[in-house]
Amino acid sequence: MAVVTAVLYAAADGGNSKTDVVLGDTDGRILSRVTGPTTSPHAVGLPAALAQLAELVGKARAVAPDRPLAQLSVYVAGADLPVEVERLNAEVGALGLAERVTVDNDLFALLRAGTAEPDAVGVVCGAGINAVGRRADGATSRFPALGQLTGDWGGGQHLAALALYHAARDEDGRGPATALTDAVRLHFGRSTVEDVSIALHLGELPAGRLDELSQVLFTVAAAGDPVASRVVRRQADEIEALVRVAAGRLGLLDQRYTVVLGGGVLTARHPQLHDDVAARVGALSPHAALTVLDAPPVAGAALLALDALHGAPCPPGLEAAVRRGIPL
């Protein structure tokens, strides 16, 4: 009978809508992967988030229930403020799931999934928007990411709301003419934009369907509509600002570093937004490399767990094995 010498770890990526957990070992094998509801404390509260995390880790460990976990690395939406990160590390540690526990914001998993380079900035533009940066010496840069309370602008939900906003103002005469008006009413099969707004207000259209207008906005902008195009440019402004500030705080603007773009709005590679962002990053930091995330963030969480176990970035061969074992 073979002697098992590889050490086990578990890694979790807890986004706003779901949580992805993997169980792996220090030989690069991925032993299991489970997906469940969000474990973001902002979404479900801390007690429910902890209970859900423990349940998912338990399911992932079912393939090796008697072997101890040396490391549990959890990257979760809602770990934005230092006090939140500190509390989450204490509370997850108290669950007794592993010998060592690391908890931090889910953007660090996205960043690690996007690049192994130690100097990097990650921007996520999905439902919301945020950014983080890291430097080879361990220094990081982050934002509170509390929405309008902390000056945030953009993300898919915001863009969708703006599509409806501009359509409504065109229709009733308060704003400039825009092709968004016809696009919005036709998307929902209604006679007017006002009918769409009232249906959303009364619940005749599920509130979540408003988010569909983010794609409508990009389609209308790509056709040359000036109002929609102005919104897309404004989103590029914000992404540029996040990169500028995150990289600037770390002294990277004139250095070689990698910018990772993630989240549904950016991974869709809408040409009008992507090409603008690429040009802006090139002008801002001529030595920077730009990449769009093509791996699941939980792969980054797994690699961070292995980095922690190694006390340094894990060997390239081990990283390659993990990436193969966790497909998008």
Side-chain angles (χ1 to χ4, degrees):
M1 181 175 180
V3 177
V4 177
T5 59
V7 171
L8 287 187
Y9 68 86
D13 169 61
N16 286 306
S17 60
K18 67 180 179 68
T19 300
D20 212 357
V21 178
V22 297
L23 181 75
D25 67 22
T26 49
D27 284 341
R29 290 184 291 257
I30 301 301
L31 305 177
S32 66
R33 181 178 181 181
V34 299
T35 301
T38 179
T39 48
S40 169
H42 285 185
V44 298
L46 183 57
L50 293 169
Q52 184 62 50
L53 176 65
E55 180 179 342
L56 289 172
V57 172
K59 288 180 178 179
R61 290 199 62 194
V63 298
D66 299 325
R67 294 173 61 189
L69 281 182
Q71 175 72 34
L72 171 61
S73 293
V74 179
Y75 295 87
V76 62
D80 296 307
L81 305 178
V83 65
E84 293 172 323
V85 175
E86 182 179 354
R87 184 180 183 190
L88 282 166
N89 272 278
E91 295 285 354
V92 174
L95 295 175
L97 299 174
E99 295 171 14
R100 294 194 309 175
V101 166
T102 302
V103 184
D104 212 327
N105 189 275
D106 60 335
L107 261 72
F108 286 104
L110 180 150
L111 186 57
R112 185 66 176 88
T115 182
E117 295 299 319
D119 296 327
V121 169
V123 179
V124 63
C125 190
I129 190 166
N130 196 7
V132 297
R134 69 171 187 237
R135 198 170 58 198
D137 63 1
T140 62
S141 173
R142 65 178 78 203
F143 298 86
L146 302 178
Q148 289 188 340
L149 291 174
T150 50
D152 304 333
W153 194 98
Q157 291 180 339
H158 190 185
L159 296 176
L162 285 171
L164 182 58
Y165 168 87
H166 285 296
R169 290 177 67 84
D170 168 26
E171 185 174 84
D172 69 16
R174 287 177 293 169
T178 172
L180 286 167
T181 306
D182 284 342
V184 166
R185 66 175 185 79
L186 289 172
H187 179 78
F188 289 112
R190 303 285 167 141
S191 298
T192 66
V193 175
E194 183 175 292
D195 288 344
V196 173
S197 300
I198 291 172
L200 287 165
H201 173 71
L202 295 177
E204 296 170 6
L205 284 173
R209 290 204 61 195
L210 176 60
D211 296 348
E212 297 169 12
L213 293 183
S214 176
Q215 177 59 54
V216 171
L217 174 79
F218 282 104
T219 299
V220 172
D225 181 75
V227 173
S229 294
R230 193 159 56 243
V231 174
V232 174
R233 285 195 300 273
R234 176 67 182 85
Q235 183 65 89
D237 289 343
E238 188 66 13
I239 293 165
E240 178 189 9
L242 287 167
V243 174
R244 173 176 52 79
V245 173
R249 288 172 176 172
L250 297 173
L252 296 177
L253 287 173
D254 297 323
Q255 308 299 315
R256 294 185 182 277
Y257 70 101
T258 299
V259 177
V260 178
L261 304 179
V265 171
L266 290 174
T267 58
R269 294 176 180 261
H270 301 290
Q272 194 169 354
L273 178 63
H274 179 81
D275 294 349
D276 194 3
V277 168
R280 290 166 184 253
V281 170
L284 182 70
S285 292
H287 303 297
L290 185 71
T291 185
V292 178
L293 187 68
D294 61 358
V298 73
L303 291 169
L304 286 167
L306 285 168
D307 292 347
L309 289 169
H310 280 81
C314 65
L318 189 59
E319 176 161 340
V322 169
R323 290 185 181 277
R324 287 194 302 270
I326 309 177
L328 186 63

